[in-house]
Amino acid sequence: MYDRLQRMSLILKPTESQPLGTYRAYDFPQLWARELHKRVFRRDRGNDEEDEWHGLPLWAVTTGIAALLPHVLVGDSSGRQGRVWLAWNHQDGSPQPDTDLIVELVRSGLVVAALAKNEKARLRGRPEPVDLTELASVLDGFKADELRSELRELHVPKDDVLRDVEYRILPNLVATQLVASGWQVEHSGWEWDSNGAPKELKTYGISRWRRVVSDEGAELISWPPYTYESENKTAYPWSYTLRLTAQNHALDLRSDNLLHARVGIRRWARSNVWDGKRAITAYLFTPSPWANATSPFGRARMKWQPGPRGKKEGKMVWDDVLADTLARYTSRRYLPAAPELAAEPYTFFKPTDGKPPLAGVPFRDGLGKYAKHSVGKGTSARDRWQIFRQLTTALTDIAKPEEPLRRVPVPVRPRPSADQLLCIDQPALARAVPDGIAVEVLWDTTVMRDELLTTLYTAFGTPAPHPPQDQGKPSRHEYALETGDIPVIIGTQPVGEIASALQVDSTIKNRTDRVRQATAPRRDRTIERLRLPEPSNRQRFALIEMPDADAYNSAEHDPKQAVKAAAASIGVLAQNITPPKPTGPLPGQETAATRRQRAAKSVMDLLVRQTGLLTHPSEPGTKTSPLGDVTTVGLWVVRRNKESRALLPLAVSHTPDEPFARIRLPHAEAWMPFHQGLLTLTDFDIERRLAHERIQAFFQEVTEEICDGTPIALLTLAQNLRSSCPGLTNGKLAADSLAFDAGSPVPADRRKGLRHIRLRTNVRDETSQHFSFTEGGKDGDVGVGSHFWADPHRPRHFFSTSKKPATAGNGSPKGSRIEAHWGCTGKDEEKNKIYGVKHDTLADVWNPQLLELLVACHAQDDDPAAWAAFVHQQRYEAAHFSDPLALPAVLHLAHTVSEHILPHYLVEPITEYDG
């Protein structure tokens, strides 16, 4: 068992005399900004004298400059005064920026952005917002001598923090210096004899690196790429990725500035790629006159442009301002044609004439039936260790690794078996819904109807009935279950047209009106099908067989959201399940066992998760500091993805004397059972978009009403709340205080008994990657430990890693994409394991995220470890799920509320994918 965990995090050494680097900082000329605001990009607010100044559409400008000019580190696309618009690397030997070139790129990028805005407006049936003639007149007045800049030194301060812009500049500065120095990673490991004994060290490969334009931090990719050659001599190229981001600690900001490293894998497409619904990313290397060894790859997107209605025609086109900017300024000969790149990406990735590659398309699942890749997903602990230790050596003059975390033994719930999990706690369900339940199964295939019917009976410990035999047209059937704790009625009926695609009128340009027109008939039909002839006090549920999103032409054609909302409007909670796949073990197929698992997951998600059933830790706290009865309360804000606009604050609680969670909403003064809250949220007349001030006031109200002196664990997630509650950000968070608004902390006498534990996930790399090892073990003997961890230097900081889920890949954490290792290579005829030398090039590798648990507020005589351990234990307490949750149970339930308000593709993620 591993007892130490190494965060892939470097502490930056203070630079007092010699700066870490020097850069030239440019503000966007405010003379240009004023003219653009006044004459081109106006946003009226009812009064011309009260025009609101807003960000300029500079995304094409900054993206194009960053891709074309190798010495640009970062760019800000707002154009606001006081922001560093461009940061230009200014090291020994770096060329001076060409201001005439920058001006031309500004002109090109703004024209591209304006054309994109006008095209978007035309598609929505709105007037074109940009007068191109006026724009050309304004751009003609831009002069190079109006660019202003200052030379700045980037110092890592001692006992102080970096400035805001420096958090973005620092990792790019470090990445540029790594590339310029020719840094490389040597992948060395043992050769093995036939008995599994190591013979001698061998170098299996060397990774050299190139920069990539990145939205977050700095990104490097190993270049040239590696290639796996299959038995039929098909080449599958792939690269390691390395992302660097600057971070800091909470409550201890002035002690350390950090650099997080994240290792991943990028597989490159080699054959025809296509996606009719989502854009396809391409990496462009433009051999421009300004390119050098540190030049980054730019990123652009292709999309499918359908042909005339009713004809099977169409083509791939560039869907990105970067490609247009490059084409406009550097000529199209530097850009591949989008249809040709999509048809034969490997041709552009590895030209036969020996010239540098022009483009590469990152592979992902779903890029058409011809696209496939043999190399697995994710990176192993061994590969992480290999790259991180050599990065540490390369940066030894400026940084040192954080000290390893130590494991603290904490009891958690053992993983239940499938039979144990599919066994509803009937007394608990009866307390959550005391008047009984009714489940309607709306089926499209008899296979799934029978599977769901059997699963429901099994979940209530009752023998399944014989499937109904319809004569002629399928009809509705009803069953009454004999259970000892709660009355259950099950009905089955064909789903019919409810599951068919919505009819979308494409002539309606306004999206809101178009969606309303498409969903209204389906909502009416759903209500007609599910409404009871007579009122009933039973809580009603529906399992609906529907195809997944890919079966519909677009998100607007998908009826799931409309059907769920309509069902909830008459008190029915719904859960979808997809039709059965062909039977078999191949991709796109399923076995009887996996189909049974899908049915069980849908049933438990509907009857357990949506009713908020939860268990309690059997031994809360640590062995040395056990806890008694504790009420857990999680605060949450439902937010849209991408725009991250707040929609609705809420709180979810779980008390020691109830087996289910309750929810508190701004529209109600009382806590209600979780399932009632979900039904309440479907009321479209409820105000959902609250201002930050109202969100803060709601959370303070909730805090004051729960603090009655009994022990309360208040849980918050930093990435979810910081935009609405700035008092919880690292710069404002104060020990043993609680403030949603930094200027108005909750008074101490109104938070009696409260302990506040603030969490952070790996979103935006705020918690680092990691690998585990045993103290005193062999160097390089690393893996992934799933435990509760303590920081030896920060008594309030703890970390949680979870056990490997049953659905994770079978790749070994000791394996590598390149190096060989000794391991199990299969089984003999008697099912005994066979061991030998193996490469894990093809296996998927799973890694747990590192969840940070900061005990920000606790009582004077508390052991912070006990309260953090209590939160760690709650990741294992979901009654509907066997594997550990990404978040503790109350925050998990709060996050799932988003599904009842937003389509799944708009729900803001809580973790980043990590293989």
Side-chain angles (χ1 to χ4, degrees):
M1 181 180 291
Y2 297 113
D3 56 12
R4 294 291 182 269
L5 182 144
Q6 178 63 60
R7 288 165 289 181
M8 292 170 59
S9 178
L10 296 166
I11 301 173
L12 293 164
K13 298 176 181 178
T15 56
E16 297 177 354
S17 57
Q18 184 69 24
L20 185 65
T22 306
Y23 64 97
R24 186 170 292 280
Y26 284 87
D27 287 339
F28 189 78
Q30 291 305 293
L31 174 64
W32 300 357
R34 283 193 293 272
E35 287 298 299
L36 289 169
H37 276 119
K38 181 179 178 181
R39 298 170 56 184
V40 184
F41 299 107
R42 296 171 67 96
R43 184 178 294 177
D44 292 334
R45 287 292 184 268
N47 187 327
D48 288 344
E49 296 180 358
E50 297 178 356
D51 275 3
E52 178 182 309
W53 276 55
H54 52 282
L56 292 168
L58 294 175
W59 68 89
V61 176
T62 53
T63 307
I65 289 175
L68 278 172
L69 304 180
H71 298 284
V72 171
L73 301 173
V74 296
D76 179 85
S77 297
S78 70
R80 290 189 173 93
Q81 189 170 10
R83 300 277 186 92
V84 174
W85 170 46
L86 297 176
W88 183 279
N89 188 17
H90 191 84
Q91 308 303 311
D92 292 339
S94 297
Q96 292 295 312
D98 184 336
T99 53
D100 290 325
L101 171 61
I102 293 176
V103 171
E104 288 306 313
L105 286 169
V106 169
R107 290 172 175 158
S108 295
L110 282 172
V111 169
V112 168
L115 291 171
K117 279 180 168 288
N118 284 352
E119 175 65 15
K120 189 174 183 179
R122 283 196 298 272
L123 292 175
R124 292 182 174 181
R126 298 174 180 172
E128 295 183 356
V130 180
D131 184 330
L132 296 178
T133 303
E134 189 72 6
L135 174 61
S137 174
V138 172
L139 296 179
D140 188 56
F142 289 4
K143 308 298 180 188
D145 58 9
E146 293 166 345
L147 288 170
R148 299 286 186 269
S149 66
E150 66 172 348
L151 203 60
R152 295 181 182 176
E153 293 182 340
L154 196 155
H155 284 277
V156 177
K158 183 179 181 181
D159 300 329
D160 206 348
V161 295
L162 296 168
R163 289 183 289 184
D164 287 343
V165 71
E166 292 174 336
Y167 281 99
R168 299 178 60 225
I169 292 173
L170 185 143
N172 284 280
L173 191 63
V174 172
T176 302
Q177 293 174 355
L178 285 170
V179 172
S181 69
W183 174 63
Q184 60 188 37
V185 172
E186 183 176 309
H187 299 270
S188 59
W190 292 102
E191 282 193 288
W192 307 82
D193 64 20
S194 58
N195 296 317
K199 295 192 300 185
E200 58 183 10
L201 286 173
K202 173 184 176 180
T203 298
Y204 287 91
I206 294 177
S207 294
R208 299 173 178 87
W209 304 86
R210 290 292 301 266
R211 279 206 305 141
V212 174
V213 173
S214 176
D215 296 329
E216 298 283 346
E219 184 174 337
L220 303 173
I221 57 174
S222 62
W223 201 263
Y226 294 97
T227 300
Y228 166 74
E229 193 171 275
S230 66
E231 292 181 359
N232 63 2
K233 304 303 180 182
T234 302
Y236 294 98
W238 61 275
S239 299
Y240 286 112
T241 64
L242 174 62
R243 193 163 73 207
L244 304 174
T245 57
Q247 307 287 345
N248 56 35
H249 284 297
L251 301 184
D252 200 11
L253 287 178
R254 299 183 181 275
S255 63
D256 294 326
N257 291 286
L258 305 174
L259 188 69
H260 284 182
R262 182 169 296 275
V263 174
I265 188 173
R266 179 154 293 117
R267 302 172 296 167
W268 302 99
R270 55 161 293 107
S271 54
N272 189 308
V273 296
W274 182 85
D275 194 323
K277 299 178 182 179
R278 294 179 293 177
I280 299 174
T281 300
Y283 280 63
L284 301 176
F285 178 68
T286 304
S288 68
W290 317 282
N292 66 9
T294 67
S295 297
F297 283 93
R299 294 183 307 169
R301 295 177 303 175
M302 300 179 290
K303 70 175 181 180
W304 176 252
Q305 184 180 79
R309 183 185 296 274
K311 294 187 177 181
K312 294 183 178 181
E313 299 177 2
K315 63 179 180 179
M316 297 299 295
V317 297
W318 287 114
D319 182 36
D320 197 280
V321 291
L322 170 61
D324 288 341
T325 302
L326 295 180
R328 182 180 176 84
Y329 191 75
T330 65
S331 89
R332 291 191 180 274
R333 66 188 179 89
Y334 288 141
L335 287 172
E340 295 175 7
L341 176 60
E344 298 184 83
Y346 197 58
T347 302
F348 293 90
F349 184 77
K350 192 176 183 180
T352 56
D353 58 8
K355 293 182 180 179
L358 293 176
V361 178
F363 175 85
R364 59 172 168 81
D365 294 328
L367 285 181
K369 62 181 180 180
Y370 299 108
K372 63 178 182 178
H373 211 291
S374 294
V375 177
K377 295 177 284 188
T379 52
S380 66
R382 171 78 188 188
D383 280 342
R384 293 180 177 193
W385 167 82
Q386 191 76 273
I387 293 174
F388 180 69
R389 72 182 181 90
Q390 295 182 59
L391 175 69
T392 300
T393 301
L395 301 181
T396 188
D397 291 338
I398 65 170
K400 63 178 181 179
E402 285 201 280
E403 188 170 330
L405 305 174
R406 54 184 175 80
R407 183 175 65 87
V408 179
V410 171
V412 296
R413 181 193 69 175
R415 174 182 286 148
S417 67
D419 291 339
Q420 290 174 321
L421 189 68
L422 187 58
C423 182
I424 292 176
D425 185 340
Q426 295 183 41
L429 183 61
R431 290 188 62 185
V433 283
D435 295 321
I437 67 171
V439 184
E440 198 73 16
V441 177
L442 285 79
W443 54 273
D444 186 51
T445 62
T446 55
V447 171
M448 198 54 71
R449 177 200 64 186
D450 297 346
E451 194 73 68
L452 290 172
L453 196 57
T454 300
T455 303
L456 284 165
Y457 270 79
T458 302
F460 286 101
T462 305
H466 293 292
Q469 300 295 321
D470 288 304
Q471 301 297 325
K473 185 178 180 181
S475 59
R476 186 179 186 278
H477 296 266
E478 188 171 287
Y479 309 86
L481 274 67
E482 298 295 332
T483 67
D485 298 281
I486 184 171
V488 178
I489 296 294
I490 298 176
T492 64
Q493 61 173 301
V495 67
E497 71 279 13
I498 287 179
S500 63
L502 299 177
Q503 299 299 309
V504 179
D505 186 349
S506 59
T507 63
I508 303 175
K509 299 301 181 182
N510 182 280
R511 186 180 184 279
T512 302
D513 293 340
R514 189 169 62 247
V515 170
R516 184 181 295 113
Q517 180 273 340
T519 57
R522 188 60 48 86
R523 289 169 57 84
D524 292 343
R525 183 62 179 141
T526 301
I527 291 172
E528 178 185 336
R529 289 281 298 280
L530 291 177
R531 178 175 281 144
L532 294 175
E534 297 180 1
S536 171
N537 290 329
R538 295 177 186 268
Q539 175 55 57
R540 300 183 63 214
F541 301 89
L543 285 160
I544 307 175
E545 185 180 355
M546 282 190 180
D548 61 19
D550 290 340
Y552 301 98
N553 289 337
S554 72
E556 291 186 9
H557 291 81
D558 193 334
K560 294 185 186 66
Q561 199 73 17
V563 170
K564 277 190 175 184
S569 70
I570 56 173
V572 180
L573 289 171
Q575 178 69 29
N576 297 118
I577 187 168
T578 56
K581 299 177 183 179
T583 303
L586 300 176
Q589 299 177 336
E590 65 182 354
T591 64
T594 54
R595 185 178 302 138
R596 195 174 307 119
Q597 291 171 3
R598 285 203 300 117
K601 183 180 183 303
S602 293
V603 167
M604 297 303 286
D605 203 67
L606 179 67
L607 299 182
V608 177
R609 195 266 298 172
Q610 294 199 44
T611 54
L613 297 191
L614 295 175
T615 61
H616 293 280
S618 58
E619 301 177 62
T622 62
K623 291 183 177 180
T624 55
S625 299
L627 298 178
D629 292 340
V630 177
T631 294
T632 310
V633 179
L635 303 182
W636 195 262
V637 175
V638 176
R639 289 151 48 108
R640 292 172 63 98
N641 192 16
K642 297 180 182 178
E643 299 174 353
S644 294
R645 291 183 294 179
L647 286 176
L648 186 74
L650 56 92
V652 175
S653 72
H654 188 206
T655 61
D657 59 341
E658 287 188 323
F660 61 91
R662 291 182 179 269
I663 191 170
R664 173 79 154 79
L665 300 170
H667 321 95
E669 295 183 356
W671 292 81
M672 63 184 77
F674 189 74
H675 71 279
Q676 290 182 8
L678 296 182
L679 292 170
T680 301
L681 286 169
T682 60
D683 184 350
F684 279 84
D685 293 330
I686 286 181
E687 182 183 10
R688 296 185 178 185
R689 185 163 296 159
L690 275 65
H692 294 320
E693 294 77 13
R694 290 186 60 190
I695 292 173
Q696 295 165 17
F698 170 71
F699 286 154
Q700 180 148 340
E701 178 184 347
V702 168
T703 302
E704 293 180 6
E705 71 185 25
I706 62 175
C707 291
D708 57 2
T710 59
I712 304 290
L714 183 71
L715 311 187
T716 62
L717 179 66
Q719 290 100 331
N720 177 256
L721 292 190
R722 68 161 56 94
S723 61
S724 300
C725 303
L728 301 181
T729 60
N730 276 6
K732 305 288 180 62
L733 194 67
D736 298 324
S737 179
L738 178 64
F740 304 110
D741 174 4
S744 303
V746 179
D749 62 343
R750 297 185 185 178
R751 48 181 174 83
K752 293 179 179 178
L754 181 135
R755 282 80 171 177
H756 173 213
I757 300 92
R758 196 203 68 173
L759 287 70
R760 285 201 294 181
T761 69
N762 61 359
V763 170
R764 292 182 290 276
D765 297 310
E766 292 189 31
T767 60
S768 65
Q769 275 188 331
H770 55 93
F771 52 84
S772 299
F773 62 95
T774 301
E775 190 171 33
K778 294 181 180 179
D779 193 28
D781 184 11
V782 296
V784 287
S786 304
H787 304 293
F788 175 66
W789 309 88
D791 190 320
H793 294 299
R794 295 181 175 84
R796 292 175 180 261
H797 282 77
F798 301 87
F799 295 85
S800 170
T801 53
S802 62
K803 295 179 180 178
K804 184 177 180 178
T807 55
N810 58 359
S812 169
K814 299 178 183 293
S816 168
R817 296 285 173 216
I818 299 176
E819 303 165 38
H821 74 107
W822 187 263
C824 178
T825 58
K827 294 183 178 181
D828 60 21
E829 295 180 355
E830 297 178 356
K831 304 299 183 181
N832 298 314
K833 290 183 178 180
I834 302 173
Y835 289 88
V837 177
K838 61 185 295 188
H839 289 80
D840 279 351
T841 307
L842 309 184
D844 291 341
V845 180
W846 175 86
N847 291 286
Q849 67 144 325
L850 191 63
L851 180 65
E852 180 187 88
L853 312 172
L854 171 67
V855 185
C857 182
H858 65 78
Q860 187 173 2
D861 57 349
D862 278 345
D863 177 5
W867 290 92
F870 177 66
V871 177
H872 168 75
Q873 291 167 323
Q874 291 189 56
R875 297 182 66 183
Y876 294 79
E877 296 309 310
H880 68 291
F881 201 57
S882 61
D883 294 317
L885 302 168
L887 297 173
V890 291
L891 290 184
H892 168 78
L893 289 178
H895 175 62
T896 63
V897 170
S898 306
E899 301 173 7
H900 295 264
I901 300 178
L902 297 171
H904 68 90
Y905 60 88
L906 287 179
V907 176
E908 188 182 43
I910 55 174
T911 60
E912 286 188 347
Y913 175 74
D914 204 14

